[in-house]
Amino acid sequence: MGKYVVSPATHPTDCGRFRASFSVRRAQGNDSQRREFRFETTFASREAARLFAVTQGWLQACMPTHPGC
């Protein structure tokens, strides 16, 4: 069974709003995999974008195909 590390991030847009993204890294023995997810939706605040990224990352890491959740 591997462990998952979710790293949320926010990115300012040119119009003063924020976009959300996150990466999920899984390490199992000597093998590791990383996937990045970026969203087009914009948010009025950095905190709103961060909360969205954290929630989406948690959902991705706990999908039924991932053992251990």
Side-chain angles (χ1 to χ4, degrees):
M1 175 168 46
K3 293 186 179 187
Y4 296 89
V5 175
V6 176
S7 301
T10 60
H11 313 277
T13 66
D14 292 338
C15 64
R17 293 180 63 87
F18 298 88
R19 290 196 198 297
S21 69
F22 70 91
S23 65
V24 177
R25 186 172 51 89
R26 177 181 156 228
Q28 185 174 7
N30 291 334
D31 187 30
S32 74
Q33 297 175 336
R34 181 173 179 227
R35 291 189 67 191
E36 246 182 82
F37 298 83
R38 296 177 187 219
F39 301 96
E40 292 298 317
T41 304
T42 61
F43 298 88
S45 70
R46 184 178 301 275
E47 183 59 22
R50 188 192 68 78
L51 183 59
F52 183 81
V54 167
T55 302
Q56 294 300 312
W58 178 79
L59 289 170
Q60 180 65 34
C62 288
M63 295 293 284
T65 57
H66 296 159
C69 285

